[in-house]
Amino acid sequence: MTATTPSVDAAMSQIIAAEEEHVAHNYHPLPVVISRGEGAWVTDVEGKRYLDLLSAYSALNFGHSHPALLAAAQEQLNRLTLTSRAYHNDRLGPFAAALAALCGKDLVLPMNTGAEAVETGIKVARAWGYRVKGVAPDAATIVVAHGNFHGRTTTIVGFSDDPQAQADFGPFAPGFASVPFGDAAAIESAITDDTVAVLVEPIQGEAGVVVPPEGYLRAVREICTRRGVLLIADEIQSGLGRVGETFACDREGVVPDVYLLGKALGGGILPVSAVAADRDVLGVIRPGEHGSTFGGNPLAAAVGLRVVEMLQTGEFQRRAKLLGEHLESSLQTLIGHGVTGVRVAGLWAGVDIDPAVGTGREIAERLIGRGVLVKDTHGQTIRIAPPLVIRGTELDWAVEQLRVVLAA
Ligand SMILES: *Cc1c(COP(=O)(O)O)cnc(C)c1O
C-alpha cells in the first residue's frame, strides 16, 4: 500500500513505490521525499522546499546541518569513529564530563537509541533496588504512567497502553504498574516496598504533548524521596532545550534521580543516548553487566559534546521559550476555527483538530501542499516541534498555512 496522493508528482511516487517495495511497513510516512535539509527547511527531490515543523520528533532541535555540529562530526570522522569500549578513546571522557555537568550528576552511561537508554534505566533501577534498597530477588516493580511512550523494545511496549504498540508482541516482562498520568496520588498508591522506581515523561510527547497539572512533578519528587524510590525522568523528547529549559523537569525546579536522554543528543546526525545519575545509583553497574558495541563511540561523543556545549550558553533554551510563547498565542487564535484544543510547552505543541475538518493525518497531508511538514499522532492531534533555530516570521507563516488548510 502506498501513501501517495494525487498531488504527488510522478517521479516522487516512483521513489516512494520503490522504497515501499523493500522497506518493512512499520511506518506510514507522509508522501514527500526529502533529499536535503538546512536549518528549519528541507528540500524534496523536485527542489520544492518545506518548513520542517517536526524536527525528527525533536532529534533535530538544532535544525538540519547545523554548521557547528557538522564541523564536530567531520573533524572526528577524519580521525577516529569507533573503538568499542574494549579500549578507551579520547572523546568519551570529555563528553561524559560535560553531559554530567549539564545534568548536575556524577556519572553518565552512554548508549545509542532512546529505547536503549530506557532499558538501561530499568536495569540500573532494578540493580539499585536489589543491591542498595534490599528488595527481594526478582521482586522489583517500577511505576509508569498511562499514555506513556518510552520506545519499542519488548520490555518497553509491555507497559504501554497503546494497543497498536502491543498487539501480537507478547508475552511481556512483568514488574510494571501503570497509573493515570498527572495523578501523583495514584503513583503514591501504586508504590510498595518492592518499588524501585517511578518512570515518567515530564511531558508526554508521543501522547500529543500532554502537559501534567502544575505541581505534579514536584509532588512525584516528594513521594519518591519519602518512599525511597528513584525518580527516572524520560527526557528523551522533552529535554535538551525543547521546552524553554534544559530539561522539562526544570519547569518545576525538580531534579530526578535519573535522566534518560536521547534524540537531540545526537545533533540530528547519529543516534546518541545516555543515562545520567549520581554515583550512588549509576555506580551499581559493574564491568560486564551492561554494554553496547557502539555506545560511547568517539564520533557520537564528539557530536554529543558539541550539543552539550551549544546548550551551555542557554541560547537555545531562551529561543524555545520566547518563540514558544509566540507560537502559543498564534495557535490559540485557531481554537474554534478547526482546532479544539492546544497544549504548548516551550517550542512544542499538540494541536487537536476538529474532526469536522479532517483527521490529523489529512491536515498533515494538506499542509504538504502548502510547504509545511507536521506529523499527526493518535488520530486527531498534530504535533508541532520545529527546530529551535526557526525564526518567528517562519513560525507565523506556518501557522497561516495551517489556518488556510483548516478553513479549506
Ligand atoms: C522517542 C522516544 C523514545 C525512544 O527513542 P528511540 O531513539 O526511538 O528508541 C523514548 N522515550 C521518549 C519519551 C521518546 O520520545
Side-chain angles (χ1 to χ4, degrees):
M1 187 187 77
T2 64
T4 54
T5 65
S7 65
V8 179
D9 167 273
M12 198 118 81
S13 305
Q14 228 167 26
I15 295 173
I16 292 171
E19 178 185 301
E20 298 205 334
E21 176 99 19
H22 294 293
V23 177
H25 294 181
N26 59 326
Y27 278 88
H28 182 196
L30 290 163
V32 57
V33 182
I34 307 299
S35 65
R36 295 187 73 86
E38 199 188 336
W41 292 87
V42 293
T43 307
D44 74 12
V45 289
E46 302 292 320
K48 187 163 179 247
R49 296 177 82 225
Y50 307 84
L51 195 57
D52 179 4
L53 296 193
L54 178 67
S55 323
Y57 307 95
S58 285
L60 285 158
N61 276 4
F62 309 98
H64 295 267
S65 318
H66 192 289
L69 293 167
L70 286 187
Q74 274 154 358
E75 195 271 334
Q76 191 59 40
L77 270 175
N78 294 331
R79 275 206 302 135
L80 180 72
T81 52
L82 185 61
T83 53
S84 83
R85 300 257 332 259
Y87 315 134
H88 295 278
N89 71 65
D90 64 356
R91 301 280 80 208
L92 178 55
F95 166 54
L99 183 58
L102 187 78
C103 297
K105 298 293 184 191
D106 299 331
L107 298 177
V108 158
L109 197 161
M111 297 295 283
N112 311 284
T113 63
E116 289 172 303
V118 175
E119 289 277 351
T120 303
I122 291 168
K123 287 173 76 173
V124 167
R126 287 176 173 173
W128 173 87
Y130 301 128
R131 295 170 187 176
V132 178
K133 183 170 174 168
V135 172
D138 287 344
T141 63
I142 294 175
V143 180
V144 300
H146 293 349
N148 69 73
F149 180 85
H150 297 288
R152 298 294 196 170
T153 66
T154 49
T155 290
I156 292 170
V157 299
F159 56 83
S160 165
D161 46 29
D162 176 356
Q164 256 198 323
Q166 282 201 332
D168 297 330
F169 300 127
F172 300 120
F176 299 92
S178 187
V179 300
F181 182 63
D183 182 348
I187 286 186
E188 172 109 54
S189 312
I191 291 175
T192 71
D193 290 346
D194 292 331
T195 303
V196 296
V198 171
L199 165 62
V200 286
E201 298 156 85
I203 292 172
Q204 290 187 331
E206 199 64 29
V209 192
V210 178
V211 183
E214 160 80 30
Y216 171 68
L217 292 173
R218 270 197 305 277
V220 174
R221 172 69 279 180
E222 186 278 319
I223 291 164
C224 288
T225 303
R226 181 163 44 77
R227 301 291 299 270
V229 167
L230 300 176
L231 174 56
I232 305 178
D234 181 345
E235 294 257 16
I236 290 166
Q237 193 168 156
S238 60
L240 308 182
R242 172 57 56 192
V243 303
E245 308 277 353
T246 303
F247 302 110
C249 284
D250 295 341
R251 285 161 48 101
E252 293 202 8
V254 161
V255 179
D257 299 292
V258 179
Y259 287 106
L260 307 179
L261 303 173
K263 291 202 165 102
L265 193 56
I269 296 176
L270 77 175
V272 184
S273 69
V275 174
D278 278 336
R279 202 172 305 279
D280 58 341
V281 176
L282 205 40
V284 299
I285 296 291
R286 300 181 286 233
E289 291 184 341
H290 188 58
S292 158
T293 304
F294 285 87
N297 72 74
L299 182 59
V303 172
L305 174 60
R306 186 59 57 88
V307 165
V308 173
E309 287 168 351
M310 288 166 70
L311 288 167
Q312 278 164 351
T313 69
E315 176 201 336
F316 291 95
Q317 294 89 324
R318 274 192 298 278
R319 281 190 74 82
K321 182 169 273 168
L322 288 173
L323 289 170
E325 284 163 7
H326 187 71
L327 176 66
E328 176 158 29
S329 50
S330 47
L331 287 175
Q332 290 290 351
T333 67
L334 299 178
I335 290 182
H337 303 277
V339 167
T340 56
V342 171
R343 295 167 299 277
V344 183
L347 198 48
W348 200 20
V351 179
D352 298 332
I353 304 298
D354 185 344
V357 299
T359 62
R361 172 84 188 188
E362 284 161 354
I363 296 302
E365 287 182 352
R366 284 181 226 158
L367 278 171
I368 295 174
R370 303 201 62 90
V372 175
L373 301 182
V374 298
K375 186 76 173 84
D376 54 297
T377 182
H378 295 285
Q380 286 307 127
T381 301
I382 56 175
R383 176 176 15 183
I384 297 181
L388 309 183
V389 297
I390 197 170
R391 286 199 291 258
T393 49
E394 293 168 332
L395 266 183
D396 288 342
W397 176 79
V399 173
E400 272 322 297
Q401 305 317 302
L402 179 56
R403 189 187 310 280
V404 169
V405 155
L406 289 167

